[in-house]
Amino acid sequence: MVSTEGARLRLLQEARLNAARGTLDRVHSLLEAVLSVGRELDLEQVLRSIVEAAAALVEAEYAALGVIGPDGKRLSDFLTVGVSDEQNAQIGHFPEGHGILGELIRNPEPLRLSKLSEHPASYGFPPHHPPMNTFLGVPIRVRDQVFGNLYLTEKRGGAQFDEEDESVLSALAVAAGVAIDNAHLYEESRRRERWLRASAEITHSLLSGSTRSEVLSLIAKRSSEITAAALAVVAIPLEKTGTMTVELAIGQEAEAYRGLVLPVQGTLVGEAFSTAAPITSPDVSQDVRNETDVLPAESRERGSLDLAPFAGLGPAVAVPIGTGDSVRGVVLLVRKVGETVFTEQETEPLQGFAAQAAVAMELAERRSNAEQVALLEDRDRIARDLHDLAIQRLFATGMTLQSAGRLIEHPQASERVLRAIDDLDETIKIIRSTIFGLRARESARGQSLRARVVRVVGEEVPALGFPPSLRMEGLLDTQVPRETADHVVAVLYEALTNVARHAHADRADVALETDGRDVRLTVSDNGVGIEPEGRRSGLRNMAERAERLGGEMKLSCPPGSGTTLVWHVPIATQ
C-alpha cells in the first residue's frame, strides 16, 4: 500500500513538473515571440511576424490577421499562414469581415469556439477553402483603438483551444499592439524625413531660378511618390470664366487629364479652390462633387477616360495652392481603387508643399513682371534714342540735301537728290511708327487665348443646347502669336455656330493644342454631317484663314459619325 501511494505521489509530482515545464516552455516561447515581433520596424514585416508567432504559440494549423479599415466595419487587409498562394488564388478575394470574422469587429473580445459552423454568425466557407472547425479569435489594440484581429483555427492533433491558449494569444496581442504602434511611428518619421528632403529640393529649385512649370512638376512628382498616389494633377483657374484647367498631370493615364477644363462649382478640385481648404474623397470616381462638370452626361456614360475625369481611380485629396484670397490653383493626388484614404497626417505636409507651389508661382510672376519691366524700359530707351538721335540726324540730312538740291543744275542729279529726300521722309515716318509701337503697352489681362476659348465655348452653350467638352494643351498663351490667336477664336466661333445651326447634334468636342511648332484646333460632333447642297461660305472662310497663315483645314464626315473639323497652322516661324 505504501509503495502504491508513493508511486501515485511520484506520478503526480512528475505531472506537475511536466505541466510547470510546459508552462515555462510556453512562457519562454511567448517571450521569444514578443522579442521577434518587437524586433521589426517595417509594418508589413511586423504583421507577418505576429501571424507566424501566433500560429506557433497555440499550435494552430491556420492563422490570419485582419486589419480593420478606416470605416471600422470591414477588413482592409488580410494576412494568412498555413494557406498556400495557390489556395488563396483559388479562394479569390480576401474576406471583408462578414460572419465570424465580423463578429470580432462588432464585439472586440476574445472568442473561442469548438465548432465554427455552430455559431449563429457563421456564413460557411467559399469554394476551395480548407475545412476549419476549432476557432480562437483575439483583438489587437493600438492605443485603445482596435487595429485588427488575430484568427486561429484547427489546433494540431485534433485538440480544442483552451483558456491557456486564449491567455497566451491575448498576451501576444498586447505585444503586437505595441509593435504595430512602433512601426507606425517609424513609418511616420521616415515619411516626415522624405517630406523634409523634398522640401529642401524644391527650395533649392526655387532659389536656383527654375521656371514655374519645372517647380510645379517637381512638387507633383515628389508628393505623388511620398503619398503613393497613382495620379498627381495641378489645376489653375482661368480668369473670369468660373473654370479651371489642368496645367500639369503626372502618373496613371496622365495624358487623358492634361488640358481638361473643369468648372469651379460642383467639382472636388473646385471646392478646394473656392474654400481654400484641403478636401478629401474616399472614391474620386464616385464623388458627387464631380458629376457637375463641363462634359455632357452622355459623354460620361460612355466611360471614356478622355471624357470622364478620374474614372478607375479611388481615394483622393485636393489641396489649395496658397491661402485665403490668394489661392492660385489646386494640387490633386489620387490613389488607385481599393487603397487607403488620405489621412490628416498625410494632408498636413501636403499643405506645406502646396504653399511652396504658391511661392513658385509668385516668383515666376515676379520674374515675368521684372522681365517685362526691363523689356519696356529697354524699348523706351530705344525709342528715345531713335527719336533724339536717328530722326534728328535723318531730318538734318534731309534739310542739307534739300538745300544742296537748289544748287544742282543737272536735271537727273537734281531728281535723284529729290528722291533721296522723299526716301528720308518715308524712313522718318517708319521710325516714328516703330517708336509708337515700342511705347505701346497692350494689356493682356483677361485676353489670354485659353480664357477667350473658354468664353466662346460658354457663349455657344445656349445655341447648342448642351455644353461641349473642351481640352486645351500646350503653352497656348505664350507660344501662339496674337494674330493667330484671333484667327483661332474666329474659327472656333464659326465652327460651333455651324454645329448649332446645321448638325442636329447632342454632343460636341473641342480640342486646342500646340507643340510650339503648330497650333491645332479640332471641333467634332455626332450630328448629321454636311449636306452636299448646303452653303459653304463659312467653311471657305475658315479654310482661307488657314491658308493665309500657311496652314490648312481638313473636314471629314464619315457616314453616321457626324463631322470632324481640323484647323491647324504653323507658329514657329511667325
Side-chain angles (χ1 to χ4, degrees), residues 405-426:
R406 299 191 187 98
L407 304 175
I408 299 175
E409 298 180 355
H410 194 285
Q412 291 181 349
S414 177
E415 184 181 352
R416 288 186 178 181
V417 170
L418 291 175
R419 282 204 303 268
I421 293 171
D422 291 339
D423 289 343
L424 286 174
D425 287 340
E426 189 64 29

Side-chain angles (χ1 to χ4, degrees), residues 141-343:
R141 286 181 169 83
V142 177
R143 294 188 179 184
D144 298 327
Q145 183 178 357
V146 179
F147 172 82
N149 297 303
L150 278 170
Y151 307 108
L152 288 302
T153 61
E154 294 302 288
K155 188 175 177 72
R156 288 190 174 89
Q160 297 287 327
F161 293 109
D162 55 25
E163 289 184 8
E164 189 175 339
D165 292 327
E166 184 178 318
S167 299
V168 169
L169 201 60
S170 296
L172 178 65
V174 173
V178 175
I180 291 169
D181 191 29
N182 288 338
H184 278 156
L185 291 174
Y186 176 69
E187 196 174 73
E188 179 64 22
S189 67
R190 289 188 63 189
R191 186 185 298 113
R192 289 188 179 277
E193 182 184 355
R194 294 182 68 189
W195 280 120
L196 289 172
R197 283 202 304 267
S199 297
E201 184 181 3
I202 290 166
T203 301
H204 178 269
S205 179
L206 286 170
L207 295 177
S208 64
S210 299
T211 63
R212 186 186 78 162
S213 60
E214 289 173 341
V215 176
L216 290 180
S217 177
L218 184 59
I219 288 171
K221 185 177 180 181
R222 293 293 177 264
S223 58
S224 63
E225 289 174 353
I226 295 173
T227 60
L231 175 68
V233 165
V234 176
I236 60 171
L238 293 172
E239 286 189 50
K240 301 178 182 179
T241 63
T243 60
M244 303 185 72
T245 181
V246 176
E247 181 174 303
L248 174 72
I250 296 175
Q252 180 176 317
E253 302 289 347
E255 290 292 335
Y257 302 100
R258 294 190 188 116
L260 278 177
V261 178
L262 304 171
V264 172
Q265 297 298 324
T267 59
L268 184 70
V269 170
E271 185 173 336
F273 176 77
S274 58
T275 61
I279 304 294
T280 58
S281 172
D283 189 348
V284 70
S285 63
Q286 301 296 324
D287 199 300
V288 293
R289 285 167 292 200
N290 286 330
E291 291 186 2
T292 339
D293 52 28
V294 294
L295 308 175
E298 307 91 276
S299 298
R300 290 198 301 273
E301 289 170 2
R302 289 183 178 88
S304 172
L305 259 180
D306 60 340
L307 295 176
F310 317 120
L313 293 169
V317 59
V319 180
I321 299 174
T323 58
D325 297 331
S326 59
V327 177
R328 297 172 174 272
V330 174
V331 175
L332 176 71
L333 297 175
V334 191
R335 286 174 174 155
K336 294 180 180 179
V337 174
E339 295 191 0
T340 57
V341 298
F342 285 89
T343 63

Side-chain angles (χ1 to χ4, degrees), residues 362-425:
E362 178 73 21
L363 285 177
E365 281 186 15
R366 294 294 176 89
R367 288 195 193 103
S368 177
N369 290 339
E371 291 172 359
Q372 186 69 16
V373 169
L375 176 62
L376 292 174
E377 288 178 349
D378 198 39
R379 287 181 174 181
D380 285 342
R381 180 188 60 78
I382 294 171
R384 285 195 305 271
D385 290 345
L386 287 173
H387 183 271
D388 297 341
L389 299 175
I391 288 183
Q392 297 304 325
R393 285 196 172 193
L394 289 173
F395 186 75
T397 303
M399 294 293 291
T400 301
L401 288 174
Q402 195 171 6
S403 298
R406 299 191 187 98
L407 304 175
I408 299 175
E409 298 180 355
H410 194 285
Q412 291 181 349
S414 177
E415 184 181 352
R416 288 186 178 181
V417 170
L418 291 175
R419 282 204 303 268
I421 293 171
D422 291 339
D423 289 343
L424 286 174
D425 287 340

Side-chain angles (χ1 to χ4, degrees), residues 296 298-299 302 307 464-469 491-511 521-531 539 542 554-566:
E298 307 91 276
S299 298
R302 289 183 178 88
L307 295 176
L464 290 165
F466 57 88
S469 70
V491 170
L492 175 59
Y493 179 80
E494 180 70 28
L496 291 178
T497 300
N498 287 343
V499 174
R501 289 178 178 174
H502 311 298
H504 303 293
D506 58 10
R507 171 188 168 189
D509 304 320
V510 176
L521 173 66
T522 306
V523 180
S524 58
D525 63 73
N526 64 346
V528 298
I530 298 177
E531 297 179 5
L539 296 175
M542 290 188 282
K554 293 182 180 179
L555 202 65
S556 60
C557 305
S561 300
T563 304
T564 298
L565 180 148
V566 180

